Amino acid sequence: PKTDIVFLKVHKSASSTVMNILFRFGEMHNLTFAFPIGGGNQLFYPRHFLARFVEGFSPSSPRRFNILCHHMRFLQPEVHKVVSSSAFYFSILRNPVKLMESSFAYYKGASAFSRVRSLEEFLRQPYHYYNPTDGDRHYARNLMTFDFGFNPDGEVSAERVKLMLKAIEASFDLLLISEYFDESMVLLKEMLCWDLDSVVSFPLNIRDSSTKSPLSDTVVEKIKDWNRLDWEIYTHFNRTFWERIDRDIGRERMQREVKALRERQGELARTCLQGMGSVAPKHIKDSSLKPLQHGSARILGYNLKQGLDKETERMCRRLVTPELQYSSALYKKQFAQNFP
């Protein structure tokens, strides 16, 4: 199994669920994480990543970490300084239309969104609200482009798009697609030589459907247009994703693998969860399992079954622990000597 991994955690793209998979694998195999200094949950985002943002990194004795997976704005030469040169790089993409709808609910406080009542209103005259010099502008435009380290306000010429896609292809071994999450996990498992249980997950950091709004065709087209760079990235790598499946796995085997993954997920839900699924924040009984609530989104969580034996309880708890709590527990474990 591969143990040196860089995951670019793209915002609002099922990346918290992927992060939970990496946290669990790292914890089970005693791997080290490149944590933000002080144990925060972002590597000084939205600044471009620098090696010195990592706790325990020092240029004089460059220490290599196994897994780098916290939010960052990608800058490969700096990433190279903290992980092994043979590390496996991957990320996950989401349809920019859904991504923007999600970003609007989640980052309603961002300067571009704070003065509008709806996404439709914003898109009617985006430049009335959007200022390219605002420090949080990226939440409102080409968010994936920004996370990959590029300029979200760059011109959309064929030449520039080609260079951007080439740069991403040169840096990353695999790009997953969140709309095909189970297929993505099967592909990831193949590439990392992991077993099925390592990529099983319950969806984390997801919104209650009552806060999701359906979008008209006109709005969909406006979103694509406004996020043209993201749209180019997404359509390109959605295509290469399926090409890779056809080349490396084949559709039939993929169907079998996805079925096995879903069955195992169902089995674990029956073992671990009260009521089999996610619940609204107010119904989460164990406060240590409550996810952070943000913007106008209502983030769902889980209740564990009572009376599980110790080993099962530990396994189940890992599956449902929200990102911030899990990250902080792993940080304390890794830097135990810093916590008297």
Side-chain angles (χ1 to χ4, degrees):
K2 290 194 166 74
T3 52
D4 292 319
I5 294 161
V6 174
F7 172 54
L8 177 63
K9 187 175 187 290
V10 168
H11 286 76
K12 316 294 350 121
S13 305
S15 56
S16 297
T17 309
V18 178
M19 197 178 195
N20 175 272
I21 287 169
L22 295 172
F23 280 167
R24 284 176 4 235
F25 187 86
E27 185 179 20
M28 305 282 288
H29 296 82
N30 243 338
L31 304 177
T32 56
F33 289 89
F35 284 107
I37 282 180
N41 58 320
Q42 302 197 339
L43 288 151
F44 293 79
Y45 187 86
R47 291 167 63 187
H48 271 107
F49 175 80
L50 295 174
R52 63 182 169 81
F53 297 161
V54 173
E55 179 89 48
F57 172 81
S58 114
S60 50
S61 63
R63 172 182 176 195
R64 304 285 184 203
F65 298 87
N66 298 116
I67 298 178
L68 174 60
C69 63
H70 286 71
H71 273 309
M72 62 168 160
R73 188 170 182 209
F74 191 65
L75 187 59
Q76 192 159 23
E78 288 292 315
V79 171
H80 272 328
K81 296 176 185 176
V82 297
V83 294
S84 136
S85 57
S86 62
F88 180 87
Y89 285 69
F90 80 105
S91 187
I92 187 164
L93 305 171
R94 184 183 187 185
N95 183 321
V97 175
K98 292 181 185 158
L99 186 130
M100 188 167 195
E101 190 274 326
S102 175
S103 191
F104 183 79
Y106 206 80
Y107 301 112
K108 189 68 186 73
S111 30
F113 292 151
S114 58
R115 291 180 294 133
V116 292
R117 280 187 303 278
S118 65
L119 193 48
E120 286 80 350
E121 191 182 334
F122 173 80
L123 290 160
R124 267 199 293 277
Q125 37 182 38
Y127 280 112
H128 188 68
Y129 309 103
Y130 177 86
N131 181 345
T133 61
D134 283 339
D136 59 359
R137 77 191 191 287
H138 50 282
Y139 293 124
R141 186 177 204 190
N142 289 317
L143 182 47
M144 294 192 287
T145 302
F146 183 86
D147 285 354
F148 275 95
F150 303 103
N151 175 8
D153 297 300
E155 53 149 354
V156 191
S157 65
E159 189 49 33
R160 197 169 171 278
V161 166
K162 202 166 101 186
L163 286 171
M164 184 173 71
L165 296 175
K166 271 187 123 145
I168 295 173
E169 277 177 338
S171 302
F172 288 84
D173 300 292
L174 179 64
L175 285 143
L176 304 173
I177 302 290
S178 67
E179 282 77 19
Y180 302 103
F181 192 80
D182 293 340
E183 290 84 352
S184 290
M185 290 306 101
V186 170
L187 204 47
L188 185 66
K189 166 176 87 74
E190 273 311 277
M191 305 277 302
L192 294 175
C193 306
W194 288 9
D195 62 10
L196 183 69
D197 268 15
S198 298
V199 296
V200 167
S201 63
F202 297 145
L204 294 176
N205 205 22
I206 52 166
R207 269 192 302 157
D208 181 356
S209 55
S210 70
T211 63
K212 295 180 182 173
S213 45
L215 304 170
S216 70
D217 294 351
T218 320
V219 168
V220 166
E221 287 312 313
K222 281 182 176 169
I223 292 177
K224 285 183 195 174
D225 215 44
W226 176 247
N227 296 282
R228 181 54 58 188
L229 291 170
D230 271 11
W231 185 251
E232 295 287 349
I233 291 176
Y234 178 76
T235 49
H236 175 81
F237 288 108
N238 186 16
R239 196 181 66 248
T240 59
F241 175 80
W242 290 101
E243 284 168 2
R244 174 165 244 163
I245 286 174
D246 289 336
R247 192 186 67 222
D248 296 350
I249 294 181
R251 301 279 169 123
E252 275 181 38
R253 186 176 146 222
M254 176 54 87
Q255 278 180 332
R256 287 198 304 275
E257 297 261 358
V258 165
K259 187 167 175 269
L261 179 66
R262 287 175 183 163
E263 278 167 5
R264 181 66 181 129
Q265 245 144 246
E267 216 173 280
L268 285 168
R270 286 189 292 278
T271 303
C272 296
L273 304 179
Q274 273 180 34
M276 287 286 290
S278 50
V279 295
K282 62 172 189 240
H283 297 309
I284 300 169
K285 301 184 183 89
D286 179 342
S287 61
S288 73
L289 296 178
K290 270 195 179 151
L292 174 76
Q293 300 300 313
H294 211 293
S296 64
R298 277 215 316 229
I299 307 300
L300 305 175
Y302 297 92
N303 285 317
L304 290 179
K305 270 189 179 158
Q306 300 297 297
L308 297 170
D309 66 78
K310 222 173 172 168
E311 200 45 47
T312 309
E313 207 266 351
R314 209 163 63 210
M315 172 199 66
C316 293
R317 184 170 285 276
R318 283 182 176 134
L319 278 161
V320 300
T321 298
E323 173 187 329
L324 301 188
Q325 289 92 310
Y326 207 155
S327 181
S328 123
L330 290 174
Y331 174 80
K332 285 184 171 156
K333 194 169 154 187
Q334 186 166 310
F335 297 101
Q337 73 279 10
N338 303 2
F339 296 94

